[in-house]
Amino acid sequence: MSVTDKKSYALGIVIGADWAKMGIKIDIESFTKGFADTLNGTTPELTMSEIQNQMQLLQQEIQVIEKKDIEEEKQRGRQFLEENKKKPGVIETPSGLQYKVLRESIGKKPTATDTVEVHYHGTLIDGTVFDSSVNRGENIEFPLNQVIKGWTEGLQLMSEGSKFEFYIPSHLAYGDNGAGSAIKGGATLIFQVELFKVK
């Protein structure tokens, strides 16, 4: 396989992976022809109006699939939280935030406008780690009014020196948009947080 062949094949893999992940049905022969016609400067067999119309239909199909995926993710989160709140030591606030005290401490509690210094370990409900200052081996500082709602609410329950585990439903996390490739839209998140200092 030549360098050009490898490059072309790799591009096909990447494009194909995206469509396969979404479950979009594509006719490979037609796709290849359209791709080749564009690269070769051949006049398209569809008018620009027809192309735009097909792309709109494709976008609508993608939106339907994405909405379905988000609702399924939310449902998984709801089921998890429903079972989780029955476990010993788990407390649920009126907003739907759940937490468990891992280590209690007597010290200063932050307000929503304070900056805090913390260690945290974030996972999905299946245990997948998506972010962790613990794994990086470094504390992090941030203003509480510039993070997700679950953090803003949850950390105000903590005192310096304490360690909590938070179970954050999607409406208090990243909502339908998710965050990057690691956190899907509608995802419920779990964080272990150790509060070192309120600044």
Side-chain angles (χ1 to χ4, degrees):
M1 194 180 278
S2 69
V3 172
T4 300
D5 289 341
K6 289 180 180 178
K7 180 171 58 178
S8 303
Y9 185 76
L11 179 61
I13 290 290
V14 171
I15 294 174
D18 288 340
W19 292 114
K21 186 166 55 177
M22 287 186 287
I24 300 291
K25 293 182 179 179
I26 295 292
D27 180 79
I28 296 175
E29 186 176 338
S30 298
F31 174 84
T32 303
K33 187 174 190 320
F35 197 73
D37 284 350
T38 298
L39 291 179
N40 296 331
T42 304
T43 302
E45 295 182 4
L46 299 177
T47 66
M48 187 54 66
S49 177
E50 288 174 322
I51 292 171
Q52 290 174 345
N53 181 56
Q54 291 304 311
M55 292 309 297
Q56 287 175 355
L57 292 174
L58 181 58
Q59 186 60 42
Q60 289 171 8
E61 187 178 350
I62 292 171
Q63 288 172 350
V64 168
I65 291 170
E66 288 178 341
K67 185 175 181 181
K68 180 174 178 287
D69 289 345
I70 289 169
E71 288 307 313
E72 289 176 351
E73 189 66 32
K74 284 182 179 178
Q75 182 58 29
R76 283 191 287 271
R78 283 191 289 266
Q79 290 174 348
F80 169 83
L81 292 169
E82 190 62 32
E83 291 302 314
N84 191 62
K85 70 181 181 181
K86 300 174 185 176
K87 295 178 179 178
V90 174
I91 301 168
E92 184 173 85
T93 72
S95 72
L97 174 70
Q98 295 180 3
Y99 69 95
K100 182 176 182 179
V101 178
L102 303 179
R103 184 179 67 242
E104 188 62 276
S105 180
I106 298 174
K108 185 178 179 181
K109 288 186 175 182
T111 66
T113 56
D114 284 331
T115 293
V116 295
E117 180 183 347
V118 302
H119 244 349
Y120 67 88
H121 185 72
T123 68
L124 305 177
I125 58 176
D126 67 0
T128 301
V129 178
F130 59 82
D131 192 14
S132 176
S133 69
V134 175
N135 289 354
R136 291 194 299 273
E138 57 184 14
N139 302 350
I140 187 169
E141 293 183 14
F142 54 80
L144 267 188
N145 59 5
Q146 294 182 17
V147 291
I148 58 175
K149 293 178 182 178
W151 271 67
T152 304
E153 177 185 352
L155 266 78
Q156 291 182 76
L157 302 171
M158 302 178 70
S159 300
E160 289 179 333
S162 61
K163 185 176 182 179
F164 282 24
E165 185 161 71
F166 295 106
Y167 314 92
I168 306 178
S170 66
H171 70 278
L172 298 177
Y174 293 99
D176 290 356
N177 293 327
S181 59
I183 301 175
K184 295 180 181 179
T188 292
L189 307 179
I190 301 173
F191 284 96
Q192 281 195 4
V193 182
E194 185 173 6
L195 176 57
F196 293 120
K197 193 168 184 179
V198 179
K199 300 188 173 183

